[in-house]
Structure formats: C-alpha cells, structure tokens
Amino acid sequence: MAAEGGGKEMNEIKTQFTTREGVYKLLTHSEYSRPNRVPFNSQGSNPVKVSFVNVNDQSGNGDRICFNVGRELYFYIYKGVRKAADLSKPIDKRIYKGTQPTCHDFNPLTATAESVSLLVGFSAGQVQLIDPIKKETSKLFNEEVGSSQHCFGNNLLIDKSRVTCVRWVPGSESLFLVAHSSGSMYLYNVENTCGTTAPHYQLLKQGENYAVHTCKSKSARNPLLRWTVGEGALNEFAFSPDGKFLACASQDGFLRVFGFDAAELHGTMKSYFGGLLCVCWSPDGRYIVAGGEDDLVTVWSFSDCRVIARGHGHKSWVSVVAFDHCTTSVEDGDPPAEFSGSDEDFHEQIHFGAGRDRANSAHSRLSKRNSTDSRPVSVTYRFGSVGQDTQLCLWDLTEDILFPHLPLSRTRTHTNVMSATSPPATGQTTTTVSTTTNPTNSLPGTLPRSNSLPHSSNPGNSIIDSAFIATGVSKFATLSLHDSRKERHEKDHKRNHSMGHISSKSSDKLNQLSSSRTAKADAAKTLGTTLCPRMDEVPLLEPLVCKKIAHERLTVLIFLEDCLVTACQEGFVCTWARPGKVVSDRPLADTVM
C-alpha cells in the first residue's frame, strides 16, 4: 500500500486495502458500466445510484442490479465475485428524454424470476413504476396522463422539484415514499391514481419544523399523505429495520427521526455545519449514522436521542453512509446477553422482517448490560462512508464509545488523542498528536479494537468550534491530525467541494449559497447543545481505512455478503471481494464459461 506521505503515492487509485479481517480486492472484471466502458462526462448529471434485488432464481444466480448513468438506466444480472460481468447483454436498457433518473428502489417482497417492481425517480419530479424483466411500464406518478414511458411532459400535478429519494415502505407490496428537493415527502399507493387535478390537502399533524397533510378527496387517490420537513431539500430518508421509524437528512442540517405510522417526531440532531446528505440505520436499529457537508460522519443514539461520536476522515462532502451487517463481532464473557429490562435498554425490542435474519444474526445478540454487570458485551459495529473526495472510509464503533460508563471488556492499547493548543501569535490553530500505551497490560500480536480519538479535557478544543463556524466548511479540512497535510487537504477540499449535489438547472443550490450567512448564525445557536455538541464534547473516531478508490466523486456504497459495491460519477460500478471470497487467483475473465 502507498505510504501516508504526500506526492504521487498519496493520489494513487487503490485496488486493495487491508483490515483486521484480511485483504479486500477490487475485481476489475466484475465492473459494471455502460456497454462501451467509456467514462461518462458527469458535468451537470445527477449522481449515479445502484439498487439490488434477489429474484430467488433456483439457478443460484438470482441477484439483479440496476444503475443509472446520465439519461440512461441499466438492468443486469449481477454475477458479483463469481464471474465476469457481461455488459453486452443487459436485461433492460432505457434512455429518457427531457429528464434524468435520480434514484430507484426494488420491492423485494414481489420480486420473482419472471417479474420485479422497480420505482424510478426523476430530476423533473416524476416517479415511474417499471418491470425491467417484462420490459413494461406499469404506472407514472406525479405526471399528467398521456406521457410516454421514455418522454415526459411538464404538467406535474403534485411536486415540480427533483426526486431525491424513493423507497418502498418495508413490508408493503403497494405503498412507497418519495422525497423531493422541495423538502416534501409523499406517500403513494400503486393501486391509486394521481387524479387529473392538483390535490387539495388538510392538516393531519404538525410539530416543530414539520407538518403532515392528508389528501382531501371523495375517492381514493394519490398522494395519501404529504410531509413537509425542515427547510430546503430533503436529501435522503431511511426506514428503521423494523419499518416503524423514519430518519430524514435535510439540507437545513437537521436529522429528524419520526415514528412513521403516528407521524410523531422522536428526536433530532444538527450537523456541525451545512446540510446533511445521507443517513443509515444500524441493523439492530439502535444507532443512526449521518454524513454531509461538514465532511464528518455523525453517530446518533436512537434510545438516548443524542450524538455519541463523530468521525473525521473525509476531505470533502460525505455522500453515502452504510452499515456493514456482515462484519460485526460480539464477544461475551458470560452466556449470550439478553435484554435486561433496565431503563437504559432500547425501549422497543425490534423484531426484524423477513429476509433480514441472515444480515442481523450477529446483531440480535447485542444489548446493554445492567449497571451491576462487570463484564459488558464486547461489540463492534462496522460502517463505511464514501465522499466527493473520491475516498472510501471504514469505521469501527466499539463498546468503549457505546458504553463509556462501563469497564472495558479487555485491556487494550490506547489510541491517539487529539487536543488543540492555544493559537499562536499568528492566529493559526495548531494541533498536537500524542500516543500513549499501557506497557504492562498491552496485548502483543492483537489489533487495537477501538479506532476512537477520546476527546481531550483541554478547553482549548473549543477553538476548533469557533474557527469552524467563523470560517465555514472550506476551512475544516485543514484541521488535520498531521500539519504536513494541511495545504493538500485544503486544496483537495476546495476542488471537490465545488462539485456539490448537481441537479439539472435547479435553483436549490443558489438559494442555499445565498443563505450561507443565516446558516452560520443558526449553527452558532445550536453549537454546544445536545443537538450539536462541540468537537471536544464527544469522541472523535478515526477511520480504519481511508483510501482513494476513484477518479470522480463516489456516489454509492453497498455492503453485500461476499463483497462491497461502490460507484463513482464516471458511471463505473465496482465490486470489492471480501477477504477469502475471491473465487480464483486467475483473472475472472478466464472463469467465464
């Protein structure tokens, strides 16, 4: 691997990386893209997105992949680590006029080898339900009747802004939720029509910075509900594993978590700076990770409704966060831990839906122990993030962060401690790094399980907060652990920061830029509160892995059982085999029959 120094090696694209599990390898012959394999000119295009579904094909090759590149949408058999990708034979390919696909989602409940239900959202605001196996278009939502399947009109009845996220409601074959850059979400039923006139709404529920309206109609029609959440775009939402709660990441910088059926606000969190772009749940529903324009990943406890850690490794906006359900370690000194029933326990014992048992088998044993238990469960949550800096970061969230009031389950080597010193006379902030170990109790030959940077009690850390708010997000990358990297980080950050969330001729970003002063003022009000703790008030994680893996900004990170999948804005979908999962040492092209 390249050294951590500067120069050419630092900018080299990595094709493998090592964790304590072993080596992850890029499978070049398992790369999916447009059939001509030519890098896509991404200027002005919406982010490349990827969706997977398993159709339970008895041949053992049931995985299907869908991805969008510019105006095009592709649907392939996904062969993963087993065989090379055959790009000459897409099951379905669609090219749209007047709009671009922005997001999509399969319904896993209805998927078979003969038929799948795929929702596709578009930059002009429409949502399309298609079956790429049958090559059929079932319905078009938020569009006047009469539009063709590949060329849409401009008469949008419900919302005229870009679709930012679309998801089937967990456990439902007919309900789906759609978010728009207007800040609104709409609940649809595929069985209902959208009507021929614009809907009329009446207030159902209202709370702090959100409202839910029902559609007034004598007959059943779409949308069933309209949610207005926060200010500015609603960039992404994610359902909890049991489908009962909804986490929303908004451009106003707030994470809002709702009880979905009751439409009640459960808790909120504020980004350190700028908008939140992505959000995900841990497989057991206990923790939420969000990322965005502050270059950070933020871990939020669902039961405690508070930030428990931040991670700093990216040099620009974080575009995707995802938990790895397959890489989780649970080590019990006593018999397997069960819910203790104490007040600190998760207030609802989540029951996972069908198809989640394999993913959550390890997490089903996770729990907090009674305060009287001197041997707490040893647990590691693995999650990852990708960003506009073209870097992949992997993070471990361990029990010393999750349960700081309990004794550690094993003696370990202390990790780095970052503390800020008083600024020198020049007014520039400097950072110092110190490493301490326990020479008498260290465990030779074992990897440190924690990748956290415990916060310092030095009050000088508040300088980071004040400098960050005063100078804006473009200066945050300079607060590096290594002063020698300051200039490079700032340069890379400014280059990538300008990419943003590109939308076709949308005025959203212009409005956001014009209100930057207001955003800084709002951030200053929440800084130091439970909504947004200061940098020295919560542990700061450092990544286990932080590697440059693409030439253009990364837009996809998905963890599968035998690999992880990434995609960049050039239109390349890459497969990274997990340790020990490569079928053969020979090139994959040689294994194709």
PDB file of all heavy atoms in Angstrom, residues 402-415:
ATOM      1  N   LEU A 402     -19.697   3.208  22.860  1.00  0.00           N
ATOM      2  CA  LEU A 402     -21.126   2.995  23.090  1.00  0.00           C
ATOM      3  C   LEU A 402     -21.492   3.017  24.562  1.00  0.00           C
ATOM      4  O   LEU A 402     -22.541   3.526  24.952  1.00  0.00           O
ATOM      5  CB  LEU A 402     -21.551   1.661  22.475  1.00  0.00           C
ATOM      6  CG  LEU A 402     -21.292   1.498  20.972  1.00  0.00           C
ATOM      7  CD1 LEU A 402     -21.688   0.105  20.532  1.00  0.00           C
ATOM      8  CD2 LEU A 402     -22.053   2.547  20.190  1.00  0.00           C
ATOM      9  N   PHE A 403     -20.623   2.422  25.409  1.00  0.00           N
ATOM     10  CA  PHE A 403     -20.908   2.308  26.834  1.00  0.00           C
ATOM     11  C   PHE A 403     -19.736   2.852  27.643  1.00  0.00           C
ATOM     12  O   PHE A 403     -19.042   2.100  28.322  1.00  0.00           O
ATOM     13  CB  PHE A 403     -21.152   0.843  27.221  1.00  0.00           C
ATOM     14  CG  PHE A 403     -21.984   0.090  26.229  1.00  0.00           C
ATOM     15  CD1 PHE A 403     -21.540  -1.098  25.683  1.00  0.00           C
ATOM     16  CD2 PHE A 403     -23.219   0.576  25.828  1.00  0.00           C
ATOM     17  CE1 PHE A 403     -22.307  -1.798  24.764  1.00  0.00           C
ATOM     18  CE2 PHE A 403     -23.993  -0.115  24.916  1.00  0.00           C
ATOM     19  CZ  PHE A 403     -23.537  -1.292  24.375  1.00  0.00           C
ATOM     20  N   PRO A 404     -19.468   4.149  27.581  1.00  0.00           N
ATOM     21  CA  PRO A 404     -18.279   4.701  28.240  1.00  0.00           C
ATOM     22  C   PRO A 404     -18.322   4.589  29.759  1.00  0.00           C
ATOM     23  O   PRO A 404     -17.295   4.654  30.423  1.00  0.00           O
ATOM     24  CB  PRO A 404     -18.282   6.167  27.786  1.00  0.00           C
ATOM     25  CG  PRO A 404     -19.716   6.463  27.464  1.00  0.00           C
ATOM     26  CD  PRO A 404     -20.258   5.185  26.900  1.00  0.00           C
ATOM     27  N   HIS A 405     -19.512   4.409  30.341  1.00  0.00           N
ATOM     28  CA  HIS A 405     -19.628   4.332  31.805  1.00  0.00           C
ATOM     29  C   HIS A 405     -19.325   2.938  32.333  1.00  0.00           C
ATOM     30  O   HIS A 405     -19.242   2.747  33.538  1.00  0.00           O
ATOM     31  CB  HIS A 405     -21.046   4.735  32.218  1.00  0.00           C
ATOM     32  CG  HIS A 405     -22.115   3.881  31.614  1.00  0.00           C
ATOM     33  ND1 HIS A 405     -22.447   3.970  30.285  1.00  0.00           N
ATOM     34  CD2 HIS A 405     -22.913   2.918  32.160  1.00  0.00           C
ATOM     35  CE1 HIS A 405     -23.418   3.104  30.031  1.00  0.00           C
ATOM     36  NE2 HIS A 405     -23.713   2.455  31.140  1.00  0.00           N
ATOM     37  N   LEU A 406     -19.173   1.957  31.413  1.00  0.00           N
ATOM     38  CA  LEU A 406     -18.903   0.593  31.839  1.00  0.00           C
ATOM     39  C   LEU A 406     -17.421   0.270  31.666  1.00  0.00           C
ATOM     40  O   LEU A 406     -16.762   0.825  30.792  1.00  0.00           O
ATOM     41  CB  LEU A 406     -19.730  -0.395  31.012  1.00  0.00           C
ATOM     42  CG  LEU A 406     -21.245  -0.290  31.173  1.00  0.00           C
ATOM     43  CD1 LEU A 406     -21.924  -1.267  30.231  1.00  0.00           C
ATOM     44  CD2 LEU A 406     -21.650  -0.546  32.605  1.00  0.00           C
ATOM     45  N   PRO A 407     -16.872  -0.644  32.491  1.00  0.00           N
ATOM     46  CA  PRO A 407     -15.470  -1.023  32.318  1.00  0.00           C
ATOM     47  C   PRO A 407     -15.266  -1.736  30.995  1.00  0.00           C
ATOM     48  O   PRO A 407     -16.155  -2.430  30.514  1.00  0.00           O
ATOM     49  CB  PRO A 407     -15.210  -1.970  33.504  1.00  0.00           C
ATOM     50  CG  PRO A 407     -16.553  -2.490  33.873  1.00  0.00           C
ATOM     51  CD  PRO A 407     -17.514  -1.373  33.594  1.00  0.00           C
ATOM     52  N   LEU A 408     -14.090  -1.555  30.383  1.00  0.00           N
ATOM     53  CA  LEU A 408     -13.797  -2.196  29.118  1.00  0.00           C
ATOM     54  C   LEU A 408     -13.707  -3.702  29.308  1.00  0.00           C
ATOM     55  O   LEU A 408     -13.268  -4.204  30.331  1.00  0.00           O
ATOM     56  CB  LEU A 408     -12.473  -1.668  28.548  1.00  0.00           C
ATOM     57  CG  LEU A 408     -12.466  -0.179  28.193  1.00  0.00           C
ATOM     58  CD1 LEU A 408     -11.120   0.183  27.601  1.00  0.00           C
ATOM     59  CD2 LEU A 408     -13.570   0.157  27.220  1.00  0.00           C
ATOM     60  N   SER A 409     -14.117  -4.438  28.276  1.00  0.00           N
ATOM     61  CA  SER A 409     -14.139  -5.883  28.372  1.00  0.00           C
ATOM     62  C   SER A 409     -12.753  -6.488  28.250  1.00  0.00           C
ATOM     63  O   SER A 409     -12.553  -7.649  28.536  1.00  0.00           O
ATOM     64  CB  SER A 409     -15.032  -6.464  27.282  1.00  0.00           C
ATOM     65  OG  SER A 409     -14.522  -6.115  26.014  1.00  0.00           O
ATOM     66  N   ARG A 410     -11.779  -5.737  27.794  1.00  0.00           N
ATOM     67  CA  ARG A 410     -10.407  -6.217  27.715  1.00  0.00           C
ATOM     68  C   ARG A 410      -9.453  -5.030  27.793  1.00  0.00           C
ATOM     69  O   ARG A 410      -9.836  -3.910  27.522  1.00  0.00           O
ATOM     70  CB  ARG A 410     -10.172  -6.986  26.404  1.00  0.00           C
ATOM     71  CG  ARG A 410     -10.286  -6.085  25.170  1.00  0.00           C
ATOM     72  CD  ARG A 410      -9.713  -6.771  23.951  1.00  0.00           C
ATOM     73  NE  ARG A 410     -10.571  -7.878  23.545  1.00  0.00           N
ATOM     74  CZ  ARG A 410     -10.355  -8.573  22.428  1.00  0.00           C
ATOM     75  NH1 ARG A 410      -9.312  -8.285  21.679  1.00  0.00           N
ATOM     76  NH2 ARG A 410     -11.166  -9.562  22.094  1.00  0.00           N
ATOM     77  N   THR A 411      -8.241  -5.288  28.233  1.00  0.00           N
ATOM     78  CA  THR A 411      -7.235  -4.226  28.254  1.00  0.00           C
ATOM     79  C   THR A 411      -6.745  -4.013  26.838  1.00  0.00           C
ATOM     80  O   THR A 411      -6.459  -4.939  26.124  1.00  0.00           O
ATOM     81  CB  THR A 411      -6.044  -4.623  29.145  1.00  0.00           C
ATOM     82  OG1 THR A 411      -6.545  -4.968  30.428  1.00  0.00           O
ATOM     83  CG2 THR A 411      -5.057  -3.480  29.264  1.00  0.00           C
ATOM     84  N   ARG A 412      -6.636  -2.792  26.437  1.00  0.00           N
ATOM     85  CA  ARG A 412      -6.228  -2.517  25.064  1.00  0.00           C
ATOM     86  C   ARG A 412      -5.259  -1.356  25.028  1.00  0.00           C
ATOM     87  O   ARG A 412      -5.166  -0.570  25.953  1.00  0.00           O
ATOM     88  CB  ARG A 412      -7.454  -2.195  24.196  1.00  0.00           C
ATOM     89  CG  ARG A 412      -8.255  -1.003  24.672  1.00  0.00           C
ATOM     90  CD  ARG A 412      -9.235  -0.590  23.590  1.00  0.00           C
ATOM     91  NE  ARG A 412     -10.130  -1.679  23.260  1.00  0.00           N
ATOM     92  CZ  ARG A 412     -11.317  -1.836  23.810  1.00  0.00           C
ATOM     93  NH1 ARG A 412     -11.734  -0.977  24.716  1.00  0.00           N
ATOM     94  NH2 ARG A 412     -12.093  -2.823  23.475  1.00  0.00           N
ATOM     95  N   THR A 413      -4.583  -1.237  23.921  1.00  0.00           N
ATOM     96  CA  THR A 413      -3.668  -0.131  23.715  1.00  0.00           C
ATOM     97  C   THR A 413      -4.470   1.136  23.454  1.00  0.00           C
ATOM     98  O   THR A 413      -5.379   1.146  22.647  1.00  0.00           O
ATOM     99  CB  THR A 413      -2.762  -0.404  22.509  1.00  0.00           C
ATOM    100  OG1 THR A 413      -2.059  -1.626  22.764  1.00  0.00           O
ATOM    101  CG2 THR A 413      -1.771   0.709  22.300  1.00  0.00           C
ATOM    102  N   HIS A 414      -4.125   2.194  24.139  1.00  0.00           N
ATOM    103  CA  HIS A 414      -4.836   3.451  23.956  1.00  0.00           C
ATOM    104  C   HIS A 414      -4.594   3.980  22.557  1.00  0.00           C
ATOM    105  O   HIS A 414      -3.509   3.866  22.007  1.00  0.00           O
ATOM    106  CB  HIS A 414      -4.368   4.491  24.984  1.00  0.00           C
ATOM    107  CG  HIS A 414      -4.694   4.120  26.399  1.00  0.00           C
ATOM    108  ND1 HIS A 414      -5.971   4.156  26.899  1.00  0.00           N
ATOM    109  CD2 HIS A 414      -3.892   3.690  27.411  1.00  0.00           C
ATOM    110  CE1 HIS A 414      -5.954   3.774  28.166  1.00  0.00           C
ATOM    111  NE2 HIS A 414      -4.711   3.481  28.500  1.00  0.00           N
ATOM    112  N   THR A 415      -5.629   4.603  22.007  1.00  0.00           N
ATOM    113  CA  THR A 415      -5.498   5.179  20.684  1.00  0.00           C
ATOM    114  C   THR A 415      -5.050   6.623  20.784  1.00  0.00           C
ATOM    115  O   THR A 415      -4.902   7.187  21.857  1.00  0.00           O
ATOM    116  CB  THR A 415      -6.843   5.116  19.948  1.00  0.00           C
ATOM    117  OG1 THR A 415      -7.831   5.724  20.783  1.00  0.00           O
ATOM    118  CG2 THR A 415      -7.241   3.687  19.663  1.00  0.00           C
TER     119      THR A 415
END
